[in-house]
Amino acid sequence: MKIRRRYTCPLEIVHDFLRGKWKTIILYQLKHGPKSLTELEKCIVGINQKMLIQDLADLIEFQVVNKIKYEGYPLKVEYSLTAERGQKIIEAINILQSIGKEYMNENGMKI
Amino acid sequence: MKIRRRYTCPLEIVHDFLRGKWKTIILYQLKHGPKSLTELEKCIVGINQKMLIQDLADLIEFQVVNKIKYEGYPLKVEYSLTAERGQKIIEAINILQSIGKEYMNENGMKI
DNA sequence: CGGTATCCTTCGCGATACTG
DNA sequence: CAGTATCGCGAAGGATACCG
């Protein structure tokens, strides 16, 4: 992660990090266990491979995601949440998700 | 808040809403009680009035912020978190803030 | 299948000027 | 002091082609 400016509050670091279009969604999709690149690509509607790989790299660097390479052929790589920071950030994302649910109910929105 | 696209998950609504540069910071600054426009402008480094007012309008529409107008002169307006959704969203923001603190400690960063 | 590189477009946001 | 309107730039991100 590149530092973009001088932060005046620890919150700004994390918010700047999560601000992009896809990172929270990627994390959310890893909530129920490891997934491969192509699995992620399939379940995240609208994302393209470039963004997915780019954001996964960021998530790994920030230590919210692990990358596991399995040796041998065919190539197999899996991504999963880290036990520490990954799980913690998911707590926050869960809250946001539940706010979204409420909001949709109140406004008669459907997926 | 204008709907930007078709959402495939309730999380996306809230994330899209919070993605902008300032909303989370504004909410965080309201955590300890109501503030006026100029107070917010002073304590949020780098923001300009246009963005502040624009984001406050969004936050009000999404029912995380209340606007209280006091009658009489001089004009007085205060913004505060709503009891329901405002408090709930702050829970998530608190988690992000604490992740930021950890991250800064680990990497020897200072404000 | 997993990953990198390049080009091009969109739009978030900053600057600035104006109104009640 | 509170709020609205306009304009332009730069970065985020989409499309696409290529490599191991």
Side-chain angles (χ1 to χ4, degrees):
Chain A
M1 183 174 63
K2 60 171 173 229
I3 302 302
R4 298 157 208 226
R5 49 174 172 140
R6 188 146 178 83
Y7 297 101
T8 57
C9 162
L11 171 62
E12 290 184 44
I13 294 188
V14 185
H15 179 246
D16 243 32
F17 175 72
L18 286 181
R19 272 188 69 193
K21 191 169 181 180
W22 301 111
K23 288 195 186 71
T24 46
I25 312 292
I26 296 170
L27 290 170
Y28 190 71
Q29 291 298 336
L30 294 176
K31 184 179 166 183
H32 297 301
K35 283 201 166 79
S36 72
L37 197 68
T38 27
E39 283 173 332
L40 284 169
E41 214 172 340
K42 275 175 207 160
C43 69
I44 302 178
V45 181
I47 200 170
N48 61 45
Q49 211 187 29
K50 177 201 158 193
M51 291 313 299
L52 182 53
I53 290 175
Q54 196 172 285
D55 281 351
L56 280 169
D58 289 345
L59 291 165
I60 290 164
E61 196 192 346
F62 198 62
Q63 299 165 53
V64 281
V65 165
N66 282 320
K67 177 176 183 169
I68 314 156
K69 280 193 180 184
Y70 298 90
E71 299 302 326
Y73 286 89
L75 279 173
K76 192 183 171 189
V77 179
E78 279 196 330
Y79 298 90
S80 61
L81 297 177
T82 60
E84 297 292 321
R85 191 165 292 155
Q87 289 305 325
K88 192 160 179 185
I89 214 164
I90 275 292
E91 287 176 40
I93 290 174
N94 283 339
I95 296 174
L96 301 183
Q97 154 85 6
S98 85
I99 292 173
K101 262 193 188 169
E102 282 175 19
Y103 184 84
M104 291 182 74
N105 287 339
E106 287 172 25
N107 296 277
M109 299 167 70
K110 302 209 172 176
I111 297 289
Chain B
M1 182 175 62
K2 62 172 170 227
I3 302 303
R4 297 157 208 225
R5 49 174 172 141
R6 186 145 178 86
Y7 297 101
T8 58
C9 162
L11 172 61
E12 290 184 45
I13 294 188
V14 185
H15 179 246
D16 243 32
F17 175 72
L18 284 181
R19 274 188 68 196
K21 192 168 181 179
W22 300 111
K23 289 196 185 70
T24 47
I25 312 292
I26 295 171
L27 289 170
Y28 189 72
Q29 290 299 335
L30 293 177
K31 183 180 167 183
H32 297 299
K35 284 199 165 79
S36 72
L37 196 69
T38 28
E39 283 172 332
L40 283 169
E41 215 172 339
K42 275 175 206 161
C43 69
I44 301 177
V45 181
I47 200 169
N48 61 46
Q49 209 188 30
K50 177 201 158 194
M51 290 312 299
L52 181 53
I53 290 175
Q54 195 171 286
D55 281 351
L56 281 169
D58 289 345
L59 291 165
I60 290 164
E61 196 191 346
F62 197 62
Q63 299 165 54
V64 281
V65 165
N66 282 319
K67 177 176 183 170
I68 315 156
K69 281 192 179 183
Y70 298 89
E71 299 301 326
Y73 288 91
L75 280 174
K76 193 184 171 187
V77 179
E78 278 195 332
Y79 298 90
S80 61
L81 297 177
T82 59
E84 297 292 321
R85 190 165 292 156
Q87 290 306 323
K88 190 159 181 186
I89 214 163
I90 274 292
E91 288 176 41
I93 290 174
N94 282 337
I95 296 175
L96 301 182
Q97 154 86 5
S98 85
I99 292 173
K101 263 193 187 169
E102 282 174 19
Y103 183 85
M104 293 183 74
N105 286 338
E106 288 171 25
N107 296 276
M109 299 167 71
K110 302 208 172 176
I111 298 288

